[in-house]
Amino acid sequence: MTGVTLGCVRRIYDHSYPGPRWVRRLCWRSLAGQVLVVQVIVVTVLVAAATAAFVVQARRGERDAARGKALAVATAFAQSPGLVAALRSPDVSATLQPRAEATRRATGVDFVVVMSPAGVRYTHPDPARIGGVFVGHIAAAARGKAFTETYTGTLGPSVRAVVPVLDERGDVAGMVAAGITLERISATLRRQLPVLIGTAAAVLILAACGEVLVSRRLRRQTRSLRVAEIVRLYEHHEAVLHAVREGLLVVGTDHRLLLANDEAVRLLGLPAMADGRPVRDLLVAGSLAELLDSGRRATDEIHLAGDRVLAVNQTPASRDGRPLGTVTTLRDSTELLALTGELDSVRGFADALRAQAHEAANRLHTVVTLIELNREQEAIEFATEELAASQQLADRLLTALDEPVLAALLLGKAAQAHEHGIDFVITDDTQLHATQPYATPVDPRALVTMVGNLVDNAVDAALAGQPPRWVAVTVRIVGEVTGEDGEGEREELVVRVADSGPGLEPARTAAAFARGWSTKAGGALHGRGLGLALVQQVVARYGGRIDVTNDRGAVFTVRLPLEPVVGALPAVRAVP
């Protein structure tokens, strides 16, 4: 029966149940319908099996009770006073028949039979059978041992007990048999059966009502979807999560992470088994953690995560007016911003070239006019003066720096500073030669990001200060003693950018390196939204550090070890 039931359940779930049309429609309508049918089948089978087991157990119990009762009656009668003397009387049947029948009626057994050691009956419920041979086994009782058995005798199948009657010497003087027919036992069970069936029906009805309530709740929760539809939704959900190139985070109303796809785990470096943990505990630092925890709406906000720049969109999710949490998408914009920075640098170079071309045209007209006025010497001196200054700076950079990208960057920044009336100084100790080991420990693009943003901030600060305005840049490699005994040196790249601005207060140093800290509108001096944050990323990538001091203006000093080391964010120190 169990195998048939499981087969039906399996066929219901795979939509191959060949039953009535209404059953198939119920099963195929929704997952809740299938669960209801399966639960009804399972509960019905369980109740039927429990009822059958109870009937079998009750029948066995009734037989055991009848066996014990028969044994007790037979033993009590066999040990009753005067029984041995009655067995030795001239007319045993006349003496014991009334006594046996009285005992039978008093105890409720079906027969009490007294017999000789050879099995000849002295008593019987049917007087006509007195004097006949007892139908059943008596060998064990004839040896002095009481026993019980189920046997078919003159009154039909019965549960009986046969007990020996012992005289004063311990010899078997006779035997007593008492029994209850199986028909009486079955009649007792039949009287109990309506109660049992009623109880089983009540249990089945209560279980069915509970299943209906569960099914209705399940139907609401599954939106009345069928199994195939749920499976399809799950497969599509998994496919989208693993295929999308953007990071996806789902945060619940309790500020715990509900879901993170592969790209989000990669971008944020989330730990294993991150689902269910508070977003504050996911090693997501800074403004991104604040955004995820706040649940506010965000559109294309730029946030830093380790050495990555992420464009973040966040939208609160709700259904039927009930908030469900937030959905956050992450897009890696690190390379895009790096390319944007390079494009800005190239655009700056182009602007500087246009300005120089315009200024060169003016100088050329001046030289031509001087020649036309027969002032050739003055024309030569005027033409070579500016050219010598520009050539001197170019020669100085090309001689001191073997990294052409860095040299080109500083030349372009010099032109921009000159255009704003700022004196751009390359200090005398600037040296970066390929003959030294690891002369350029960082990628050229990282150099452009780091030095370019520092110089841009310095130019802005100089413009905000009082004349004379200047920016000084130093790039060199130094050795640092690392051993306690004074032996051993570690070479590192030092980039120092100073300006003539008002400086940066030590209390605002850490804030200056935070994402989005901009002073353009506020009138402060340093910080350009992402500029210093990007500088900090480069420094963190190479395991360096940043020192910020004030010396007639702000001084930013970056130290990068020659061996690239990927580590945590560097400490930013403010030295008064």
Side-chain angles (χ1 to χ4, degrees):
M1 180 177 180
T2 304
V4 174
T5 302
L6 292 178
C8 292
V9 171
R10 187 180 300 110
R11 296 174 73 180
I12 286 174
Y13 267 117
D14 61 13
H15 307 295
S16 60
Y17 180 66
R21 179 176 299 177
W22 69 270
V23 175
R24 285 181 289 169
R25 292 182 61 185
L26 177 63
C27 295
W28 293 349
R29 182 176 300 171
S30 65
L31 175 63
Q34 294 187 30
V35 172
L36 176 61
V37 172
V38 171
Q39 286 180 334
V40 168
I41 293 176
V42 171
V43 170
T44 302
V45 171
L46 290 178
V47 171
T51 303
F54 185 82
V55 170
V56 172
Q57 186 65 27
R59 184 177 182 182
R60 183 179 300 172
E62 288 292 332
R63 287 195 177 190
D64 291 341
R67 188 177 290 110
K69 183 177 182 180
L71 180 61
V73 170
T75 301
F77 195 90
Q79 296 176 355
S80 62
L83 181 60
V84 175
L87 289 172
R88 293 173 180 174
S89 63
D91 191 355
V92 178
S93 296
T95 303
L96 295 180
Q97 176 69 8
R99 186 175 173 181
E101 286 299 298
T103 301
R104 178 182 68 81
R105 287 190 294 270
T107 57
V109 297
D110 288 313
F111 63 86
V112 176
V113 176
V114 183
M115 69 193 84
S116 68
V120 177
R121 303 187 190 98
Y122 293 134
T123 66
H124 195 277
D126 184 3
R129 296 185 182 275
I130 296 175
V133 179
F134 181 76
V135 180
H137 301 96
I138 61 173
R143 293 193 300 269
K145 183 178 180 181
F147 72 95
T148 60
E149 68 174 350
T150 301
Y151 199 83
T152 302
T154 58
L155 299 179
S158 63
V159 174
R160 60 181 61 181
V162 183
V163 178
V165 180
L166 303 178
D167 60 12
E168 60 276 2
R169 293 179 300 178
D171 296 331
V172 177
M175 293 174 286
V176 177
I180 301 174
T181 61
L182 296 183
E183 183 179 356
R184 173 175 289 191
I185 297 174
S186 299
T188 303
L189 287 177
R190 285 194 294 270
R191 287 193 300 270
Q192 296 176 353
L193 197 59
V195 178
L196 178 62
I197 294 176
T199 302
V203 171
L204 186 60
I205 292 173
L206 290 177
C209 293
E211 291 158 6
V212 170
L213 295 177
V214 171
S215 176
R216 293 179 62 182
R217 179 175 177 83
L218 182 61
R219 181 178 293 108
R220 290 195 303 269
Q221 292 179 337
T222 59
R223 311 302 181 198
S224 299
L225 294 175
R226 293 183 296 173
V227 174
E229 294 172 335
I230 294 176
V231 171
R232 184 165 60 250
L233 285 176
Y234 174 78
E235 291 175 347
H236 292 174
H237 170 271
E238 287 295 305
V240 170
L241 283 183
H242 292 290
V244 69
R245 295 298 302 274
E246 290 188 349
L248 178 64
L249 298 173
V250 178
V251 179
T253 54
D254 57 352
H255 306 289
R256 292 180 178 272
L257 181 66
L258 301 180
L259 183 146
N261 70 344
D262 298 342
E263 184 67 7
V265 172
R266 183 186 72 84
L267 292 176
L268 300 180
L270 297 178
M273 305 299 292
D275 294 355
R277 296 175 57 180
V279 293
R280 287 290 186 180
D281 299 341
L282 294 179
L283 305 181
V284 180
S287 60
L288 182 56
E290 181 276 328
L291 174 63
L292 294 176
D293 193 49
S294 68
R296 62 179 174 84
R297 186 181 299 273
T299 303
D300 289 333
E301 287 189 5
I302 300 298
H303 293 265
L304 300 181
D307 61 348
R308 300 182 184 278
V309 180
L310 305 179
V312 182
N313 290 274
Q314 181 167 279
T315 303
S318 63
R319 183 179 181 87
D320 300 330
R322 180 171 58 92
L324 302 177
T326 57
V327 178
T328 306
T329 59
L330 311 172
R331 185 171 64 254
D332 191 355
S333 300
T334 306
E335 294 187 1
L336 178 61
L337 286 180
L339 292 175
T340 302
E342 293 183 16
L343 180 61
D344 290 340
S345 297
V346 172
R347 185 181 293 111
F349 298 158
D351 292 339
L353 288 176
R354 281 195 295 270
Q356 289 183 354
H358 183 71
E359 189 175 354
N362 291 334
R363 288 199 298 268
L364 181 59
H365 292 159
T366 303
V367 170
V368 171
T369 302
L370 288 174
I371 293 175
E372 290 178 348
L373 295 175
N374 296 321
R375 307 293 292 269
E376 291 83 358
Q377 186 61 33
E378 288 85 349
I380 293 174
E381 293 176 357
F382 179 80
T384 58
E385 182 179 357
E386 289 291 334
L387 180 61
S390 300
Q391 188 62 40
Q392 181 181 6
L393 177 61
D395 293 342
R396 174 77 181 88
L397 288 173
L398 293 176
T399 302
L401 305 175
D402 283 346
E403 178 55 65
V405 174
L406 182 58
L409 173 69
L410 293 178
L411 280 174
K413 295 301 180 183
Q416 290 179 357
H418 181 72
E419 184 178 353
H420 290 91
I422 298 174
D423 188 13
F424 193 84
V425 179
I426 303 297
T427 60
D428 294 338
D429 56 347
T430 295
Q431 294 289 334
L432 188 62
H433 291 298
T435 56
Q436 297 174 338
Y438 305 99
T440 54
V442 295
D443 182 76
R445 286 201 287 183
L447 276 175
V448 169
T449 299
M450 182 177 64
V451 178
N453 281 289
L454 288 176
V455 171
D456 286 340
N457 290 332
V459 169
D460 292 338
L463 288 174
Q466 299 295 324
R469 298 182 175 92
W470 52 266
V471 172
V473 178
T474 302
V475 180
R476 61 193 179 101
I477 291 178
V478 299
E480 178 182 347
V481 178
T482 58
E484 294 182 358
D485 55 358
E487 296 181 357
E489 291 187 352
R490 184 188 67 175
E491 290 185 326
E492 59 184 9
L493 174 66
V494 177
V495 177
R496 182 176 182 272
V497 179
D499 60 66
S500 61
L504 184 63
E505 297 177 4
R508 305 183 66 188
T509 300
F513 287 89
R515 181 208 65 86
W517 191 87
S518 178
T519 59
K520 285 295 184 179
L525 303 179
H526 292 278
R528 297 197 46 176
L530 279 176
L532 291 179
L534 293 175
V535 172
Q536 189 182 43
Q537 277 192 343
V538 174
V539 175
R541 190 185 313 162
Y542 291 93
R545 73 175 190 271
I546 307 174
D547 296 331
V548 182
T549 61
N550 286 287
D551 183 11
R552 296 177 297 170
V555 180
F556 288 79
T557 303
V558 177
R559 298 178 181 272
L560 302 182
L562 293 185
E563 288 292 338
V565 178
V566 178
L569 289 177
V572 180
R573 299 191 302 159
V575 181

